[in-house]
């Protein structure tokens, strides 16, 4: 079994040296991620492509599982334009090429339109058109319900003849695009766990920037638990090839001081300036020259051009705003695509609670006068007391926190299962009530805290999610709220 990976187009147009460097970085990233996944494959750099090949130790029975796993992984690795499974054999004859293509695509084109696309490298005594004509006619003969459409086919049947090797590609699957991590410089992203900051962080990861997370805790333990989950999710899905840091700063004293001493119209701008000052200290300690925020032009009062200009003057660091021209719905749509939308929905917008009548054009002098009443050493003290951990360890830390929460692999009597996954995840891999021997309720995790109070306290409820991380988070939170009738269910689902 072999997969062919093509680099993002922006990489292929770079100079030879840069293209080679980016390609090697991507290869190393893939090796790191696939090693973590313990997949029996090798990764090979071939200049115009990257090949992932199942090792000889992998059995035929393993191939289907490896294929499914690779598809999930490759869709989320920055730097990949597209990838496809490749069915290969030595070049023998045009008939042999047609046989391989029919075996690969014959069933898939039934009742659909198709076009044969041939890419040929090297010297041969036939043309690409000769191959396309023969293969097309053989496919039609093998699958009479199919039809040819060269302009807008439903399926592109792609072949490559590379010297003495024939490749028939399977489905062309889109990659993430962008650049491999860390081909760009490192940044610190101000992560609140909401739609905007998680999408902004993703955008920098996708562009190849190692992205550390700086979290300003304004909502207590529950707020931090949720944001840690967002950070861990982004790292695990899009950046697992490299270690990232999670910096948590208790900003409640800063907010309290602003509430007491700053005019209500200036509170939002002053808070953002204080956040940038704190993030600048974090960035200096991590040797980072740029900060990332999820601000979008005009979305709230502090995000007018005038206010953003005043906010930026609080730091000497470059402030990147990848969402600056996006509408809120565009941001939500991206969050839905990348998988952070459900997490974001559970996060209150803590920054919005302190400005009752915000000034959309705060004067710089007025802001400076307001800040002169604040304790200039408070920001540094809070940063010095910050909790800094590796994002990869967040899952392990959570597991140790919830060690007191029982984990089971079967459902005991008088227990019910609560599937806390999103609707899409539930649909893709549903829980089978007959197999579990217990009823299953579907309560998305962001609704669980409110809904759990309505459930029968005489029953035990087993929380289930795909990776087990979110069920641990929710179980921990429910126990902290005084509920002892909760446990974690770990079972293996089949697609």
């Amino acid at each position: 079994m072999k997969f062919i990976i093509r680099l993002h187009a922006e990489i292929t147009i770079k100079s030879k040296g840069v293209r080679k460097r980016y390609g090697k970085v991507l290869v190393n990233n893939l090796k790191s991620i696939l090693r973590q996944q313990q997949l029996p494959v090798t990764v090979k750099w071939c200049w115009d492509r990257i090949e992932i090949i199942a090792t000889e130790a992998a059995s035929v029975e393993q191939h289907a599982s490896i294929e499914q796993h690779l598809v999930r992984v490759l869709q989320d690795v920055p730097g990949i334009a597209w990838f496809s499974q490749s069915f290969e054999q030595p070049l023998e004859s045009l008939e042999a090429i047609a046989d391989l293509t029919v075996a690969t695509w014959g069933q898939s084109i039934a009742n659909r339109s198709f076009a044969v696309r041939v890419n040929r490298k090297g010297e041969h005594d036939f043309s690409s058109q000769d191959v396309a004509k023969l293969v097309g006619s053989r496919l039609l003969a093998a699958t009479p319900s199919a039809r040819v459409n060269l302009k807008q086919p439903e399926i592109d049947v792609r072949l490559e003849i590379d010297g003495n090797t024939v490749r028939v590609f399977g489905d062309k699957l889109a990659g993430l695009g962008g650049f491999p991590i860390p081909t760009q410089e490192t940044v610190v992203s101000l992560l609140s766990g909401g739609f905007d900051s998680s999408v902004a962080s993703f955008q920098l990861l996708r562009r190849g920037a190692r992205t550390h997370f700086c979290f300003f805790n304004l909502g207590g333990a529950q707020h931090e638990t949720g944001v840690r989950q967002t950070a861990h999710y982004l790292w695990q899905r899009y950046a697992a090839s490299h270690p990232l840091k999670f910096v948590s700063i208790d900003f409640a004293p800063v907010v309290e001081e602003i509430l007491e001493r700053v005019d209500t119209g200036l509170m939002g701008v002053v808070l953002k300036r204080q956040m940038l000052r704190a993030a600048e200290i974090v960035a200096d300690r991590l040797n980072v020259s740029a900060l990332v925020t999820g601000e979008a032009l005009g979305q709230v009062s502090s995000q007018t051009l005038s206010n953003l200009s005043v906010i930026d003057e609080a730091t000497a660091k470059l402030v990147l705003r990848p969402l600056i021209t996006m509408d809120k719905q565009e941001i939500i749509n991206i969050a839905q695509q990348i998988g952070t939308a459900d997490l974001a929905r559970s996060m209150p917008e803590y920054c919005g609670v302190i400005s009752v009548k915000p000034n959309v054009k705060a004067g710089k002098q007025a802001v400076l006068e307001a800040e002169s009443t604040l304790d200039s050493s408070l920001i540094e003290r809070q940063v010095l007391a910050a909790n800094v951990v590796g994002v990869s360890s967040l899952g392990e830390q959570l597991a140790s926190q919830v060690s007191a929460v029982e984990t089971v692999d079967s459902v005991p009597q008088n227990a019910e299962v609560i599937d806390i996954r999103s609707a899409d995840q539930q649909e893709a891999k549903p829980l089978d009530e007959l197999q579990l021997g217990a009823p299953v309720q579907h309560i998305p995790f962001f609704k669980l805290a409110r809904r759990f109070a309505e459930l029968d306290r005489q029953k035990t409820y087993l929380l289930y999610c795909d990776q087990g991380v979110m069920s641990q988070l929710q179980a921990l939170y429910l126990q902290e709220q005084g509920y002892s009738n909760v446990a974690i269910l770990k079972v293996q689902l089949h697609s």
Side-chain angles (χ1 to χ4, degrees), residues 231-232 235 240 242-245 389-397:
H232 188 268
W235 169 80
H242 288 80
L244 305 178
K245 294 188 183 298
V389 297
V391 178
S392 62
S393 69
L394 293 179
E396 298 170 7
Q397 289 183 3

Side-chain angles (χ1 to χ4, degrees), residues 156-395:
D156 276 318
V157 177
R158 296 172 299 115
L159 291 79
E160 182 175 87
I161 302 168
D162 187 356
N164 293 319
T165 300
V166 177
R167 300 186 183 96
V168 177
F169 295 107
D171 289 327
K172 184 176 180 180
L173 302 173
L176 203 59
F179 297 136
I181 300 170
T183 54
Q184 309 304 308
E185 295 174 69
T186 305
V187 300
V188 168
S189 181
L190 280 59
L191 184 69
S192 68
F195 291 104
D196 302 341
S197 64
S198 59
V199 172
S201 300
F202 162 77
Q203 298 283 31
L204 267 295
L205 289 169
R206 180 184 173 275
R207 293 300 290 182
R210 182 182 295 185
T211 303
H212 300 302
F213 303 109
C214 183
F215 165 60
F216 298 102
N217 193 340
L218 307 177
Q222 185 186 5
H223 188 197
E224 179 160 348
T225 297
V227 179
R228 282 179 171 231
Q229 168 64 10
T230 301
H232 188 268
Y233 173 86
L234 287 168
W235 169 80
Q236 187 176 54
R237 182 166 178 181
Y238 301 109
S241 57
H242 288 80
L244 305 178
K245 294 188 183 298
F246 182 85
V247 182
S248 176
I249 302 173
D250 180 7
F251 234 55
V254 178
V255 173
E256 183 178 351
E257 188 181 45
I258 292 173
L259 286 169
E260 291 177 352
R261 303 183 183 182
V262 176
D263 178 81
T264 183
L266 300 176
M267 286 180 177
V269 171
V270 172
L271 176 61
K272 292 294 180 68
R273 282 169 60 92
Q274 296 291 71
M275 285 180 171
L276 288 189
R277 289 188 176 103
E280 180 178 33
I281 300 173
V282 172
D284 283 339
R285 294 183 177 179
L286 296 177
N287 195 27
V288 172
S289 58
L291 307 176
V292 180
T293 77
E295 290 159 319
L297 188 62
Q299 191 177 114
V300 296
S301 61
S302 65
Q303 296 173 20
T304 62
L305 283 177
S306 296
N307 283 348
L308 290 175
S309 177
V310 173
I311 290 169
D312 280 0
E313 291 183 10
T315 178
K317 299 293 183 183
L318 172 66
V319 180
L320 302 175
R321 296 184 171 92
L323 314 186
I324 193 66
T325 64
M326 289 189 184
D327 297 332
K328 189 65 175 185
Q329 190 58 52
E330 291 180 87
I331 297 169
I332 292 173
N333 291 344
I334 296 174
Q336 194 71 49
Q337 293 166 14
I338 67 176
T340 60
D342 286 341
L343 292 163
R345 289 189 183 97
S346 67
M347 299 290 172
E349 187 56 62
Y350 292 99
C351 290
V353 301
I354 68 167
S355 291
V356 179
K357 296 180 179 180
N359 192 330
V360 297
K361 196 172 183 179
K364 179 181 176 181
Q365 192 57 41
V367 170
L368 292 175
E369 289 177 4
E371 290 179 346
S372 68
T373 67
L374 304 178
D375 181 356
S376 60
S377 64
L378 178 59
I379 292 294
E380 188 164 1
R381 292 203 305 271
Q382 295 307 111
V383 175
L384 283 173
N387 185 27
V388 183
V389 297
V391 178
S392 62
S393 69
L394 293 179

Side-chain angles (χ1 to χ4, degrees), residues 387-412:
N387 185 27
V388 183
V389 297
V391 178
S392 62
S393 69
L394 293 179
E396 298 170 7
Q397 289 183 3
L398 180 63
S400 65
Q401 281 182 292
V402 295
S403 58
V405 180
E406 184 183 7
T407 299
V408 300
D409 57 12
S410 61
V411 184

Side-chain angles (χ1 to χ4, degrees), residues 70-140:
L70 277 175
V71 168
R72 289 197 298 270
V73 169
L74 296 180
Q75 287 175 328
D76 297 329
V77 177
I80 296 176
W82 59 267
F83 61 95
S84 180
Q85 191 168 0
S86 177
F87 303 89
E88 300 185 7
Q89 67 184 25
L91 174 60
E92 296 175 353
S93 65
L94 296 186
E95 286 295 334
I97 296 173
D99 289 340
L100 177 61
T101 310
V102 170
T104 304
W105 281 102
Q107 299 298 319
S108 301
I109 63 173
N111 300 306
R112 304 176 78 181
S113 63
F114 73 95
V116 179
R117 315 293 191 193
V118 181
N119 183 28
R120 191 169 55 85
K121 302 176 183 178
E123 299 293 328
H124 305 95
D125 58 1
F126 53 81
S127 67
S128 299
Q129 191 173 17
D130 293 334
V131 179
K133 285 182 178 179
L134 177 61
V135 170
S137 63
R138 286 285 305 277
L139 285 170
L140 285 173

Side-chain angles (χ1 to χ4, degrees), residues 50-72:
I50 294 172
E51 296 182 351
I52 297 182
I53 308 167
T55 62
E56 294 181 1
S59 66
V60 175
E61 290 75 18
Q62 286 180 296
H63 280 193
S65 176
I66 294 172
E67 178 185 341
Q68 292 177 1
H69 210 135
L70 277 175
V71 168
R72 289 197 298 270

